[in-house]
Structures are given as C-alpha cells and as structure tokens.
Amino acid sequence: MATTITTQNPFNEKPLNTYSLFTKKQLETVLQTSQNTFLTWRETKIKKRCKLLKKLKALLLERKNDYALLMAQEMGKPITQGVAEIEKCAWLCDFYRKNSEDFLADDIIKTEAHESFISYDPLGIILSIMPWNYPFWQVLRFAVPTLTAGNTAVLKHASNVTGCALEIEKLFKDAGYPKGCFTTILANHKQIETLINDNRIKAVSLTGSETAGRKIAEIAGKNLKKCVLELGGNNACVVLNDADLDTHINTMVTARMQNNGQSCIAAKRFIVEEGIYDTFIQQFQDKIAQLNTGNPEDNNTEISVLARTDLAEELEHQVKESIKQGAIVSYGNKRMNAYYQPTIVTNVTPEMPVFKEETFGPVAAIIKVKNKEEAYKMASLSKFGLGCMVFTKDTEDALARISQIEDGAFFINEMVKSDPRLPFGGTKASGYGRELSKEGILEFVNKKTVYLK
C-alpha cells in the first residue's frame, strides 16, 4: 500500500510535490489534540469565534491570487474562476460572522414551565471528507459554520489537491484559531474508516461521489454517527418555448461549462421544447465555440483540462457508449490526455449514459420534448435529486410546479448555485442533510431541550 501522495499538474502532466501519509501515531496525535482543543473551544464565547471570521476573510482576500494559482496547478481550474471561488469563501465568512450569534441563540419555547428552550450545543470533532473540484469552497462552507458552532474539525481532502488542503489548515492557524481547531490529515481509505470508528469523531460530512457516500454512510451508520452527504448530481435544465434565449443563453452555457464542467450542480441534461429546439441548439453551440481554451494559469482561459486524465477518459467512454445507442455528437468530442473538448450530444434518450449517469465534465446532453408536461416528467427521470433549473417567461406556471420536482433546489431563469444565505443539499442519490444558511450551522449541534419548572 502506498505511503506517499504525489500531486501532478493536469495541464502539463508534470509532478508538483510528494507528501507522506500520516502514520498511526500521527493520526492519534491529531485526534487527541483536536479533542483537547474542543473542550476549551466549546466554551469560547460566540462573539470571539465570530471575530476570528473577520481575520479569516481578510487573509482569503489577501491570498486569493496565490490560492487561485495553486488550484490551477493542482486540478486545472481556470485561474479567474479560482479567484472567484476564494472571493465567495470570503463572502461566506462575512455571512456567518454577522449571523451566527443569532443562529445559535437559545430558542425560547413557551410551555407550562418557568422557562423552556432549545440550547444548541456543539458535538465535538467533525470529520470532513472533501473533493477536488472546488478545493477551497467545499471545505470552507463546511468548516466555517462547523467551527463557529463550537466544534473542531479534521479534514481529509482529495489527494490531488493536497497542497490546497495544507494551505487551508495554515489559513485557519494564521487567522488565530487554536491549534487542533482545524487540522488537515493525509490518510488513505482504510485510515479514514478507522477514524470514523473512533469514539472521538462525532459526525462526518462528505462531499463526493454516490459510491463514496454509500460507503461512508455505511461505516457511520454502524457507529450510530450522523452524516451530511452532498453527492453527485444530474441536474436538468428545462428550456421551454417561451424562454428568453437572448437574455439567458450565457447563463445556460456557464451552468454547463463552469469549472470545466466539473460541478455536481452543473446543468447536465438540457430538456428543450421542440418549438425552440433549433434556435437553442444554434445559440448554445455558437456560445460554446467562442469559449477560450488554454492553460488554466492564463487569465483569458475559460475552458481547460479536467483534473485528471482518467476523468477525461471516463467522460469519453460515456459519450462513446451513448453514440452506440443512437446519440449524435453535434459539436466537440475530442480528447487529448486530460483535456476534453466542450461537447454537445443530441438525440439523447433516457437509457443512454449521458442521460442517466453523472457526466463530470464539459458534455451537454440535449433532449427534445414535445411540450412542457413531457419536459417536467423528463427532468424528474433521474436517480439524482440535487437541483433543477427552468427557463421560461411564465414564472407563475413554473412556481406551481415546485412540488413536481423532488430535487433539493429549483431555480427559475437562473442556474443552480450555492449561496451562503440559502440551504444547500439534495435528495435521492444526491445525498441528505443541508449546508449553508442557518440550517447548515445547526447540522452539527445537539439541539438540547432545557426545561426549568
């Protein structure tokens, strides 16, 4: 079994750094330090915890260009998108700095008691297992509310963004958080299973694949530990006959192609009414053809490589298998190592991989439907339930359809996106639990009933 991690630049395939996995002794030290820190951190006044978020925000903005460059080098994110990711993390800090005290305040409930209320108490050490596609945002949106609630956190990040993982630990340290409050570990899958079995770990938050989610949930379930799972997505983008393409076509392109198409909430299945189909295809293809492709470190680059070559190979395989079943490539479908050209696939039907599976890269599957009733039925025809977007001028009709879509998000005339002010999460194979907003900060607390007669 490997004892080291070597990161590699997916654009030029050059190795970046090599890191040693933690030993059993190192992991024990991390756990005990985190547990000891929790015993004092949970008693720290909420005002002091929130004050640290101001410094955290300042450091994020100060270092945003360095962090964006690191993301570009480790997983191929276009550098301007990396800067935007860090700026969003800064917004997250600001949101919880301003609102956490209210979110965590005792909730008074009137009963026959002299006093009765809900106290929101931290749980302890929370283990987070995070993916590579948004190396800073995925971690910060977990860590900021979790630490502010009084917990401590241990991060196991994706191995290909180990440099980002260690920078995040340094970020919290430099912002003034106590040692052991947030710790990055370098561990393999077997070591993670051992950690979840440890009584000092109180809960787990995972953002990743459906397969990883099922495995982590199984281990946590055996230990009666809570999980928050944000898993894959196969979001539908419904384009109805009355959609304003001139206004929204750029949004639709961004919804599919942002982050080189590597986003769980990306628009992956475009379900288009036949009356607007030809116009949509032409405008969509024209916009995609205009995207600047190149080195992720170049400020002009909008599309670059996927995070690893095997991911591009898997995407290529999904398209090839769909073609065998009758799909037609109307644009793109060229691969070179980790680069996969933005691709449009038409004549798509529900049994094809590009429809029923999550395509984690710049492939847009287009499905033509006869009317809006068929469109909404097709949108729901997925085992995933992360988000759905609908483009139409008839917003009243769209609002009336909310209950028809089982997903965790329903966006009208906008791409599905996460916002610190709104709860984020999915249903079905997309997981359970919520991040962000008040709901997010209350995921890892003990909602304790207090009753004084």
Side-chain angles (χ1 to χ4, degrees):
M1 185 176 290
T3 58
T4 61
I5 297 168
T6 298
T7 54
Q8 177 178 289
N9 186 320
F11 182 75
N12 57 28
E13 299 187 312
K14 293 181 179 179
L16 295 169
N17 286 294
T18 297
Y19 308 89
S20 296
L21 292 176
F22 281 23
T23 64
K24 183 178 180 180
K25 183 177 181 181
Q26 284 176 301
L27 288 175
E28 171 59 29
T29 299
V30 166
L31 279 183
Q32 196 53 52
T33 301
S34 189
Q35 177 63 22
N36 293 340
T37 299
F38 168 68
L39 298 177
T40 54
W41 179 245
R42 68 181 178 181
E43 302 300 331
T44 303
K45 298 295 184 183
I46 183 64
K47 287 184 182 295
K48 184 174 181 180
R49 290 188 223 140
C50 288
K51 188 175 181 181
L52 288 172
L53 293 175
K54 185 175 182 180
K55 178 63 173 175
L56 197 68
K57 173 188 174 182
L59 289 176
L60 282 164
L61 294 177
E62 178 184 312
R63 300 172 181 179
K64 65 181 180 180
N65 293 319
D66 293 336
Y67 290 161
L69 178 60
L70 181 57
M71 285 187 274
Q73 292 172 341
E74 287 197 320
M75 49 74 61
K77 185 187 296 289
I79 197 163
T80 56
Q81 295 178 29
V83 170
E85 179 174 335
I86 301 303
E87 290 173 345
K88 190 171 184 178
C89 292
W91 176 26
L92 174 87
C93 294
D94 216 30
F95 172 77
Y96 280 109
R97 179 180 65 82
K98 294 175 180 177
N99 293 288
S100 292
E101 190 169 359
D102 288 338
F103 290 162
L104 296 168
D106 292 343
D107 191 1
I108 306 300
I109 307 294
K110 290 186 177 181
T111 66
E112 296 82 6
H114 173 70
E115 188 177 6
S116 51
F117 58 92
I118 303 170
S119 175
Y120 299 108
D121 300 347
L123 298 178
I125 308 173
I126 314 300
L127 173 64
S128 63
I129 304 168
M130 293 292 150
W132 45 262
N133 57 331
Y134 289 89
F136 281 79
W137 170 248
Q138 307 277 25
V139 175
L140 269 290
R141 79 179 185 191
F142 153 78
V144 166
T146 299
L147 297 183
T148 305
N151 301 291
T152 55
V154 171
L155 167 68
K156 193 284 178 193
H157 216 326
S159 60
N160 61 327
V161 289
T162 297
C164 292
L166 294 172
E167 281 297 323
I168 295 170
E169 178 181 332
K170 185 175 185 298
L171 172 71
F172 279 98
K173 178 183 177 182
D174 292 348
Y177 285 79
K179 182 181 180 181
C181 208
F182 181 95
T183 311
T184 288
I185 59 169
L186 308 184
N188 59 35
H189 296 301
K190 185 64 178 177
Q191 289 172 308
I192 292 303
E193 183 172 347
T194 300
L195 284 178
I196 298 174
N197 288 329
D198 193 290
N199 288 332
R200 288 166 291 187
I201 297 291
K202 301 303 182 185
V204 185
S205 178
L206 176 135
T207 299
S209 69
E210 178 192 351
T211 301
R214 290 184 183 277
K215 181 63 176 178
I216 294 301
E218 179 184 356
I219 301 168
K222 289 179 181 178
N223 288 277
L224 297 179
K225 293 180 181 180
K226 181 174 183 177
C227 283
V228 169
L229 301 178
E230 198 278 278
L231 309 178
N234 194 5
N235 288 8
C237 177
V238 176
V239 185
L240 299 180
N241 282 336
D242 63 345
D244 186 346
L245 293 182
D246 290 338
T247 299
H248 300 303
I249 194 68
N250 286 332
T251 298
M252 297 179 200
V253 171
T254 300
R256 174 62 278 196
M257 300 298 163
Q258 183 176 254
N259 199 34
N260 304 322
Q262 300 166 119
S263 173
C264 55
I265 54 172
K268 299 183 174 81
R269 297 174 297 137
F270 289 81
I271 300 166
V272 187
E273 260 195 287
E274 61 183 3
I276 200 173
Y277 182 84
D278 291 340
T279 304
F280 167 79
I281 289 290
Q282 187 61 58
Q283 291 194 27
F284 192 70
Q285 182 169 313
D286 287 347
K287 291 293 183 181
I288 286 177
Q290 294 169 20
L291 294 173
N292 292 321
T293 301
N295 190 328
E297 297 181 35
D298 188 333
N299 283 327
N300 294 318
T301 295
E302 296 168 291
I303 290 285
S304 190
V305 291
L306 300 192
R308 301 191 310 265
T309 297
D310 65 295
L311 298 171
E313 291 172 341
E314 171 61 21
L315 193 62
E316 183 180 44
H317 175 74
Q318 289 173 305
V319 173
K320 284 183 176 179
E321 290 302 307
S322 297
I323 292 171
K324 289 180 182 178
Q325 297 179 40
I328 298 171
V329 173
S330 63
Y331 184 85
N333 194 31
K334 294 179 181 178
R335 183 184 70 82
M336 181 178 291
N337 299 324
Y339 172 73
Y340 194 88
Q341 183 184 16
T343 299
I344 299 173
V345 184
T346 59
N347 204 39
V348 172
T349 55
E351 68 276 4
M352 297 176 181
V354 295
F355 183 100
K356 66 182 182 180
E357 298 175 6
E358 180 176 30
T359 49
F360 217 63
V363 172
I366 317 294
I367 303 96
K368 182 194 290 187
V369 293
K370 293 181 179 179
N371 52 54
K372 69 171 64 176
E373 299 302 327
E374 185 182 358
Y376 282 103
K377 288 180 181 178
M378 194 69 74
S380 298
L381 196 61
S382 175
K383 68 175 181 177
F384 295 100
L386 199 51
C388 176
M389 57 204 85
V390 179
F391 289 87
T392 177
K393 291 178 183 175
D394 191 351
T395 56
E396 288 302 315
D397 179 75
L399 288 168
R401 309 266 183 173
I402 294 173
S403 62
Q404 294 182 22
I405 302 295
E406 299 178 10
D407 295 27
F410 188 77
F411 278 56
I412 302 170
N413 293 327
E414 178 59 284
M415 59 185 279
V416 175
K417 54 187 177 181
S418 55
D419 183 317
R421 300 164 295 185
L422 298 170
F424 181 86
T427 62
K428 300 189 286 186
S430 292
Y432 48 77
R434 292 296 180 264
E435 294 182 296
L436 304 175
S437 73
K438 180 177 180 179
E439 283 77 5
I441 201 170
L442 297 183
E443 282 286 5
F444 296 118
V445 296
N446 176 17
K447 299 172 184 176
K448 182 184 295 179
T449 295
V450 180
Y451 190 101
L452 174 62
K453 188 171 181 180

